[in-house]
């Protein structure tokens, strides 16, 4: 049975993740699996292993103390994870989701999400993790890795996410954008929501035809508006999202190679970082 996979941590994004997961679960009529991951870490390395610089007896005592500290830290991490899952489950049930399962795992964040997403329709995750939630110039270090590796749509929660009441669709007529368009046309997640299709490019007949063809596919089930504006996508699209009440941004993700992204940067990453709205990325 398919599910909504909601990934939470101790950041302020956890409530938004639960709220968006509840919205998606009710629209898709699916259960929610709430996932918290305790990351692997080497407590000895984390505290700085200086044991090579001291005598044998002191070194033994130090290692025993580090092992005890590691065990204590692991217990605290588990207890905190259970508390987060309990609070998240309660928030989901208060939102009207009856079928909620909680899952507590140890391991790498990216690897564990990929293991659990096999039967997920959508993966919901916060824009930033607990360690970087106030670093507004960056997105969480794991987000891009998850999106690039995942085969599922990823719904990224902003800090104060609300149930979306409209869609801004960033369209460039590329393969990833066409896959996102197919989702918009066919998924019950978007039923009844007005859609504003935005193309950030120069005005010409080819772009107009591509925009109109995309709009035509959506008009049977949505109120559709279109915009073709010349400018940088991260500026044009962000302005329209800002001007659209209750907007969720939908876009194809990472259409270029990692090497090109390394050299010129990624529009996808910039959009996720700059817009103050939920972002649904489709690979």
């Amino acid at each position: 049975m398919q599910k909504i996979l909601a990934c939470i941590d101790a950041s302020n994004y956890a409530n938004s993740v639960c709220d968006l997961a509840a919205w998606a679960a009710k629209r898709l009529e699916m259960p929610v699996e709430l996932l918290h991951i305790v990351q692997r870490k080497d407590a000895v390395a984390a505290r700085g292993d200086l044991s090579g610089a001291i005598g044998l007896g002191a070194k033994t005592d130090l290692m025993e103390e580090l092992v005890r500290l590691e065990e204590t830290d692991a217990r605290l991490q588990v207890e905190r994870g259970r508390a987060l899952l309990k609070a998240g489950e309660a928030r989901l049930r208060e939102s009207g989701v009856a079928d909620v399962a909680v899952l507590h795992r140890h391991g790498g964040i990216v690897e564990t999400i990929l293991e659990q997403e096999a039967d997920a329709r959508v993966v919901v995750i916060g824009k930033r993790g607990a360690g970087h939630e106030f670093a507004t110039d960056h997105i969480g270090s794991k987000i891009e890795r998850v999106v690039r590796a995942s085969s599922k749509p990823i719904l990224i929660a902003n800090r104060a996410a609300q149930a979306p009441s409209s869609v801004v669709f960033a369209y460039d007529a590329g393969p990833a954008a066409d896959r996102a368009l197919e989702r918009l046309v066919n998924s019950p997640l978007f039923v009844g929501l007005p859609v504003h299709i935005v193309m950030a490019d120069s005005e010409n007949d080819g772009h107009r035809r591509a925009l109109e063809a995309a709009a035509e596919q959506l008009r049977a089930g949505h109120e559709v508006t279109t915009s073709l504006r010349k400018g940088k996508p991260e500026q044009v699209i962000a302005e329209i999202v800002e001007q659209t009440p209750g907007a969720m941004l939908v876009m194809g993700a990472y259409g270029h190679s990692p090497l090109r992204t390394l050299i010129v940067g990624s529009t996808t990453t910039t959009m996720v970082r700059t817009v103050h709205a939920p972002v649904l990325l489709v690979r």
Side-chain angles (χ1 to χ4, degrees), residues 15-281:
N15 285 343
S16 290
V17 169
C18 292
D19 293 345
L20 287 175
W23 171 79
K26 288 186 283 188
R27 282 194 158 246
L28 296 172
E29 298 181 345
M30 291 182 182
V32 175
E33 185 172 88
L34 196 58
L35 172 66
H36 177 265
I37 304 164
V38 175
Q39 294 188 74
R40 299 188 192 95
K41 62 180 181 179
D42 185 340
V44 175
R47 289 169 175 78
D49 184 4
L50 304 177
S51 56
I54 59 179
L56 182 60
K59 182 176 180 178
T60 300
D61 293 342
L62 176 59
M63 292 304 295
E64 290 175 351
E65 177 62 19
L66 287 170
V67 170
R68 282 195 293 273
L69 287 171
E70 186 174 21
E71 291 173 349
T72 301
D73 184 64
R75 283 197 298 272
L76 289 174
Q77 293 284 344
V78 170
E79 290 174 7
R80 184 173 69 169
R82 287 173 177 163
L84 288 169
L85 288 171
K86 184 177 181 180
E89 181 181 7
R91 192 176 183 94
L92 284 162
R93 293 192 186 282
E94 288 171 4
S95 299
V97 181
D99 195 348
V100 182
V102 297
L103 195 61
H104 197 192
R105 287 287 185 267
H106 294 253
I109 290 177
V110 178
E111 296 79 5
T112 305
I113 290 174
L114 295 179
E115 288 171 4
Q116 296 300 321
E117 72 164 19
D119 52 355
R121 176 75 72 89
V122 179
V123 177
V124 189
I125 190 170
K127 182 187 294 190
R128 300 181 183 90
H132 302 86
E133 58 182 309
F134 298 109
T136 55
D137 291 336
H138 304 280
I139 64 172
S141 59
K142 305 295 190 299
I143 295 291
E144 182 170 343
R145 288 182 59 201
V146 170
V147 175
R148 285 190 180 280
S150 174
S151 61
K152 306 293 181 179
I154 307 292
L155 179 53
I156 299 174
N158 56 315
R159 189 176 298 176
Q162 299 177 346
S165 56
S166 60
V167 171
V168 173
F169 177 36
Y171 186 66
D172 63 3
D178 283 337
R179 287 192 288 275
L181 175 61
E182 184 180 1
R183 293 271 178 177
L184 277 171
V185 171
N186 296 312
S187 175
L189 189 65
F190 309 104
V191 168
L193 299 182
V195 180
H196 189 156
I197 311 176
V198 184
M199 181 178 281
D201 215 323
S202 55
E203 175 71 47
N204 63 46
D205 290 345
H207 293 151
R208 275 288 169 201
R209 282 195 297 270
L211 197 59
E212 183 55 31
E216 191 58 33
Q217 292 190 55
L218 287 163
R219 285 200 175 100
H222 303 271
E223 176 188 336
V224 180
T225 55
T226 61
S227 294
L228 174 57
R229 296 185 188 176
K230 186 177 181 180
K232 294 182 178 179
E234 56 268 32
Q235 294 176 349
V236 171
I237 296 166
E239 286 176 1
I240 291 179
V241 170
E242 187 72 24
Q243 295 164 3
T244 306
M248 174 174 64
L249 175 62
V250 177
M251 60 187 295
Y254 298 117
H256 300 296
S257 70
L259 178 59
R260 184 184 186 281
T261 297
L262 180 65
I263 296 171
V264 302
S266 163
T267 300
T268 304
T269 299
T270 303
M271 293 310 310
V272 172
R273 178 172 58 82
T274 55
V275 302
H276 302 292
V279 180
L280 181 68
L281 299 177

